[in-house]
Amino acid sequence: EIVMTQSPATLSVSPGERATLSCRASQSVSSNLAWYQQKPGQAPRLLIYGASTRATGIPARFSGSGSGTEFTLTISSLQSEDFAVYYCQQYNNWPLTFGQGTKLEIK
Amino acid sequence: QVTLRESGPALVKPTQTLTLTCTFSGFSLSTSGMCVSWIRQPPGKALEWLALIDWDDDKYYSTSLKTRLTISKDTSKNQVVLTMTNMDPVDTATYYCARIRGGRGFDYWGQGTLVTVSS
């Protein structure tokens, strides 16, 4: 089973600043990686798939990069609505696996 | 418009079997590449993938839960059903169903249903 490790667990950033979230896979997942945003009481929302492709309707301030085992989600200029928990997920191998999440909080 | 909705009991007793139904619209599970999955989230914790069924009726399960899970579909009713046997309080969670197609991630999710396991 591929273990997805996200860092940091909590990230404190001021509005308008850049946020960089990391996700590491225990073995290569090629580019078969997705990022999700989850706000309290809501279902997750797909942000990025294929490691770097924005899902429909996702603002350009969200970008994904990486391949193999190292991935990054960057939010270029944080808006108030971006403070949430973010999960990465690999879909290269069975079973599918999620990371433990990074909580992005207001500094 | 794609929608998914989970339904099932809010409360189950330990050792009972849980049956959840995902009713969806706006797509067909007989379309090549289309899949529906179940994911759960214990209160305050991370997402955990449980099971997936694809358009060809292939089924995939969480390694740690595979002996307790069964996923099935009724294409004519646009439903996917998940059963989980021998429920325990640690299985208390919000259970989501979600669509995934063509390796593009889970692009549509239901609102989730909270299942509490307690005697």
Side-chain angles (χ1 to χ4, degrees):
Chain A
E1 174 170 322
I2 296 177
V3 177
M4 307 301 293
T5 302
Q6 292 185 241
S7 60
T10 303
L11 182 61
S12 299
V13 183
S14 299
E17 293 189 340
R18 172 190 295 252
T20 302
L21 290 68
S22 296
C23 176
R24 173 178 294 178
S26 60
Q27 65 187 76
S28 177
V29 299
S30 186
S31 294
N32 295 312
L33 182 109
W35 289 95
Y36 302 87
Q37 176 194 67
Q38 188 179 34
K39 297 179 180 178
Q42 297 183 15
R45 177 175 71 144
L46 177 66
L47 299 175
I48 301 284
Y49 63 90
S52 61
T53 302
R54 277 189 303 276
T56 303
I58 302 303
R61 65 180 182 273
F62 291 90
S63 63
S65 63
S67 66
T69 62
E70 300 283 344
F71 301 88
T72 300
L73 175 69
T74 301
I75 311 170
S76 60
S77 178
L78 280 164
Q79 307 297 304
S80 58
E81 62 266 28
D82 299 335
F83 293 95
V85 179
Y86 291 83
Y87 294 94
C88 62
Q89 177 244 328
Q90 68 82 19
Y91 49 94
N92 193 65
N93 289 71
W94 303 105
L96 307 185
T97 46
F98 287 90
Q100 81 282 14
T102 290
K103 181 179 182 180
L104 181 56
E105 63 177 28
I106 301 174
K107 186 174 182 180
Chain B
Q1 181 189 3
V2 173
T3 64
L4 301 98
R5 185 183 76 251
E6 305 88 352
S7 58
L11 179 66
V12 297
K13 290 180 168 39
T15 75
Q16 287 187 335
T17 294
L18 171 68
T19 299
L20 294 172
T21 300
C22 176
T23 303
F24 57 87
S25 63
F27 67 96
S28 172
L29 197 41
S30 59
T31 300
S32 180
M34 205 69 73
C35 311
V36 171
S37 196
W38 286 93
I39 299 134
R40 71 179 180 180
Q41 186 172 38
K45 295 189 177 181
L47 300 166
E48 179 184 17
W49 177 76
L50 300 177
L52 180 146
I53 190 164
D54 72 14
W55 77 100
D56 207 23
D57 209 34
D58 291 321
K59 301 160 189 175
Y60 305 88
Y61 296 101
S62 159
T63 302
S64 60
L65 293 170
K66 63 188 305 181
T67 61
R68 299 173 53 205
L69 295 174
T70 303
I71 192 169
S72 62
K73 65 181 172 75
D74 186 329
T75 304
S76 65
K77 292 183 178 180
N78 282 352
Q79 291 181 333
V80 171
V81 175
L82 181 76
T83 62
M84 180 180 292
T85 61
N86 195 25
M87 292 293 284
D88 183 271
V90 300
D91 296 313
T92 294
T94 296
Y95 287 75
Y96 296 99
C97 62
R99 184 185 87 160
I100 185 169
R101 63 186 176 105
R104 299 186 180 189
F106 295 110
D107 58 354
Y108 288 93
W109 295 65
Q111 84 281 6
T113 186
L114 176 61
V115 178
T116 301
V117 185
S118 175
S119 54

